[in-house]
Amino acid sequence: MDGMTSSALARLAFWAKGMVSINDARMEWPGFSYTDAEWARMRTLSEPIGVGTYQLFTIVNAAIFITIAAIGIFGVFLPLATLLFPIAAETSALKFSLLLAACAFLIIGLGLPISMHLSAMLVGGKTVRAVLVPALGDEALASKVSWQINRIMLVMCGLLVPGILLFIAYDMQAGPIITVLKWLAIALMAVSTVTGFRRQRNS
């Protein structure tokens, strides 16, 4: 049996509820794939969590994360930017972008797990934790979810944030690039939907 705490299991259960809802809608999140056994376990974990409870969790989680993000921006990013770049007009766009990307990764990397932990504790309470029974493989599944989230954050903060800022800073004409990315995103969503339909039909 895994050494999962009740609070960690509750966080996994709330995550599972969201992913199961997406899967039931015949959709997929790129970068978040699971085996049949993992899907079965997530469905079991998500069963005690009602729709209303999950909606409340998402609201509380968003409120807590926004608070943490605000603290990170005003308590970390702005002081560092002021210290490192005292003369704004002479600030390198690349250096500013890298600082913002690093702070975004720090804020999201620390803030999201904290907000999910607090939200699961506040919303789930003893009622949800009491009915969640740990099983073999839960710790590995939780580690996989954590790695998936960190991987997506690394891509977003390491590429997306600096990329957008550099496009703005150097006034790059990205019309064709944006068009290609838009149609690529549409194609990925179409593939995701078709895959979901096929899985639903075969199940």
Side-chain angles (χ1 to χ4, degrees):
M1 194 72 67
D2 285 356
M4 292 277 289
T5 64
S6 58
S7 60
L9 192 60
R11 290 199 305 275
L12 183 59
F14 276 108
W15 174 266
K17 183 68 175 182
M19 296 307 296
V20 166
S21 299
I22 293 172
N23 186 255
D24 287 343
R26 300 171 182 175
M27 300 284 289
E28 287 186 359
W29 272 10
F32 293 90
S33 60
Y34 304 97
T35 65
D36 291 341
E38 289 168 340
W39 276 119
R41 179 54 182 160
M42 287 199 293
R43 289 187 179 280
T44 300
L45 287 171
S46 67
E47 286 176 357
I49 302 175
V51 175
T53 302
Y54 180 72
Q55 290 177 342
L56 180 59
F57 168 80
T58 58
I59 294 172
V60 173
N61 184 49
I64 294 175
F65 178 75
I66 290 172
T67 301
I68 294 174
I71 294 173
I73 292 171
F74 291 102
V76 178
F77 174 71
L78 290 180
L80 281 177
T82 302
L83 177 64
L84 297 174
F85 315 122
I87 304 177
E90 298 178 0
T91 301
S92 165
L94 178 59
K95 292 179 181 179
F96 182 83
S97 301
L98 292 176
L99 174 62
L100 180 59
C103 288
F105 184 77
L106 178 65
I107 291 171
I108 300 175
L110 295 179
L112 186 58
I114 292 174
S115 66
M116 291 184 64
H117 171 79
L118 294 176
S119 302
M121 182 177 63
L122 293 173
V123 177
K126 295 182 179 179
T127 304
V128 172
R129 292 199 297 268
V131 296
L132 293 175
V133 180
L136 186 65
D138 285 349
E139 193 169 3
L141 179 57
S143 297
K144 180 177 180 177
V145 169
S146 179
W147 159 243
Q148 289 174 332
I149 295 174
N150 288 333
R151 181 178 58 191
I152 293 298
M153 287 190 303
L154 184 61
V155 172
M156 290 180 60
C157 297
L159 297 177
L160 185 60
V161 173
I164 291 174
L165 287 176
L166 290 175
F167 269 110
I168 295 173
Y170 292 106
D171 193 24
M172 297 180 183
Q173 301 302 315
I177 298 176
I178 297 300
T179 301
V180 170
L181 291 177
K182 180 183 72 175
W183 284 107
L184 179 60
I186 293 174
L188 288 174
M189 290 297 295
V191 171
S192 173
T193 303
V194 170
T195 302
F197 272 117
R198 287 180 176 177
R199 179 188 293 127
Q200 187 74 15
R201 187 174 60 182
N202 295 333
S203 59

